[in-house]
Amino acid sequence: MQARMSISVIAAVMAGVVAATAWGLSVSVVASAPRTIRGEIPGSHGRVARGSSHPVVSAPWGSGLGEVGLATDGESRGPMSFGVDDRERVWVLDQENGRLLCFDDGVVDLSVSLPPGEFEDVAVERDRICVLARNGSRRVVVFDGGGRELGQISIAQSVPPVLHVRIEGSDVVVECPMPDSRKNHTIATLAPLRAVAPEGTSVRSGVALRGGARASASLASSRDIAIDVTSGGLERARLRLRSELDVVSILDVSGDARGGLYVTSVLASDTTLPNTGVPLLSVAHYAPSGESLSWAMTPYEPLTDVLRRVVVTPTGRVYRMDSDENGLRIVRWNLSPSSERSSR
């Protein structure tokens, strides 16, 4: 079994730059000149603000129905990725058991066998599910919402090493981390499923937003995140976020259908807390204007390495994947209003 990229390596890559998720961020960019919006990433203020968590999936380690696989060959390793479809069914990539598990109201609704290979990431959009083998065979397998395989797309050798798979509208896109950016390669279209010839593959920075714009994010300093929105190759909007704690890595930038912006990051531990040394997983929600709307934090103590820890749906629901010695949990993470910070 090929070695997977560890969390520390992923963090180092993601700290440089991160692209938005497939649903995009609906940002109003009517001005012809870039506008800079300054905001903040809420800190813990002496305690960890967790928001509230509503469990939607609880699966013990194992290989039976309703269980997920755990590998312990040198390091504990379980599912690395999950997705949520438009029916709010949760799709878990159970790569150790070679299958996709679809949970509906916490119960396994579908168990879909994967072809042989090292599959490590899954992207879900409406009734399409894309599963990525980023090493070895380098391909994406596409399923419909009923678990039927629609086809497989090879990733050309000319495409650099891949980290994530995403769905942008009708395009299947793979993200390739670069030293100072992240490039996105379109490898297929979904309707009908058709591979794109390598010489015709479009390569772009950032990710598509509604209205034809694109967004990308990077660390401007250890406590400053810069998010840039471009349209037609021109910069149209800038969001500069200041964190009260050092930012270890930016895991994701995503948006909802109403134009909300969600920044998921790993922050350094707060030295005022008793569990000093444990980093914090943070999700902060902003309005298109840059106003902080809601947020949540929790200790970042993964038992297993993961590629996709948080998913934001187009309706603005936030899901988080956790694991411990007993099994896997996926919760709907209800963020706390930013106005509550003053009372903590």
Side-chain angles (χ1 to χ4, degrees):
M1 183 178 294
Q2 297 180 5
R4 291 183 172 90
M5 185 181 295
S6 68
I7 278 290
S8 60
V9 175
I10 294 174
V13 172
M14 289 182 175
V17 65
V18 65
T21 61
W23 296 301
L25 163 66
S26 178
V27 177
S28 174
V29 287
V30 296
S32 58
R35 55 190 175 93
T36 299
I37 304 166
R38 301 196 180 277
E40 63 173 324
I41 297 175
S44 62
H45 297 275
R47 59 182 294 180
V48 175
R50 298 178 180 268
S52 62
S53 297
H54 173 72
V56 294
V57 171
S58 180
W61 301 124
S63 57
L65 187 64
E67 299 178 332
V68 295
L70 176 69
T72 56
D73 50 344
E75 61 177 336
S76 296
R77 186 176 61 247
M80 297 180 70
S81 185
F82 76 107
V84 181
D85 65 19
D86 62 336
R87 294 161 54 185
E88 300 208 16
R89 298 182 301 173
V90 178
W91 293 79
V92 176
L93 175 55
D94 183 14
Q95 72 273 2
E96 300 302 330
N97 290 319
R99 63 190 180 183
L100 275 172
L101 295 176
C102 176
F103 291 85
D104 192 359
D105 288 331
V107 178
V108 174
D109 182 49
L110 289 172
S111 179
V112 181
S113 296
L114 295 172
E118 288 288 324
F119 294 97
E120 298 170 293
D121 193 24
V122 61
V124 179
E125 176 80 357
R126 298 185 179 89
D127 60 348
R128 293 291 183 267
I129 298 92
C130 293
V131 187
L132 169 69
R134 61 192 178 100
N135 297 314
S137 59
R138 283 171 54 93
R139 56 184 167 147
V140 173
V141 184
V142 182
F143 299 89
D144 66 14
R148 181 171 65 97
E149 184 178 323
L150 301 179
Q152 300 189 24
I153 307 118
S154 296
I155 302 174
Q157 292 302 313
S158 58
V159 176
V162 173
L163 183 62
H164 281 300
V165 62
R166 297 198 324 277
I167 301 173
E168 288 185 0
S170 62
D171 291 339
V172 180
V173 178
V174 292
E175 295 180 353
C176 305
M178 310 301 287
D180 57 354
S181 64
R182 183 171 295 200
K183 301 298 182 182
N184 302 275
H185 295 250
T186 300
I187 62 171
T189 58
L190 286 173
L193 183 63
R194 178 178 59 85
V196 177
E199 59 271 16
T201 301
S202 58
V203 182
R204 305 174 304 279
S205 297
V207 79
L209 307 180
R210 301 177 188 275
R214 306 193 68 82
S216 61
S218 62
L219 278 177
S221 71
S222 63
R223 294 195 174 189
D224 291 282
I225 294 177
I227 301 173
D228 295 326
V229 178
T230 60
S231 179
L234 300 175
E235 188 175 40
R236 294 300 178 91
R238 304 176 183 137
L239 180 60
R240 298 294 183 260
L241 305 178
R242 177 70 176 172
S243 173
E244 298 175 6
L245 302 172
D246 285 347
V247 181
V248 177
S249 62
I250 310 168
L251 295 185
D252 210 359
V253 175
S254 53
D256 60 32
R258 298 182 297 274
L261 168 66
Y262 300 78
V263 179
T264 304
S265 56
V266 177
L267 306 180
S269 61
D270 189 335
T271 56
T272 65
L273 297 175
N275 58 345
T276 299
V278 177
L280 304 172
L281 178 67
S282 166
V283 174
H285 174 205
Y286 303 90
S289 64
E291 176 191 1
S292 177
L293 298 178
S294 57
W295 65 300
M297 283 184 175
T298 191
Y300 185 73
E301 298 181 278
L303 173 66
T304 62
D305 285 357
V306 292
L307 289 177
R308 198 180 299 274
R309 183 73 183 268
V310 173
V311 167
V312 179
T313 71
T315 60
R317 287 194 167 180
V318 181
Y319 292 81
R320 187 184 79 234
M321 182 166 68
D322 297 328
S323 57
D324 59 21
E325 65 275 6
N326 298 314
L328 178 81
R329 294 184 309 278
I330 294 176
V331 302
R332 190 164 64 237
W333 204 4
N334 302 311
L335 310 186
S336 299
S338 296
S339 58
E340 294 183 5
R341 285 183 293 146
S342 59
S343 63
R344 294 187 182 276

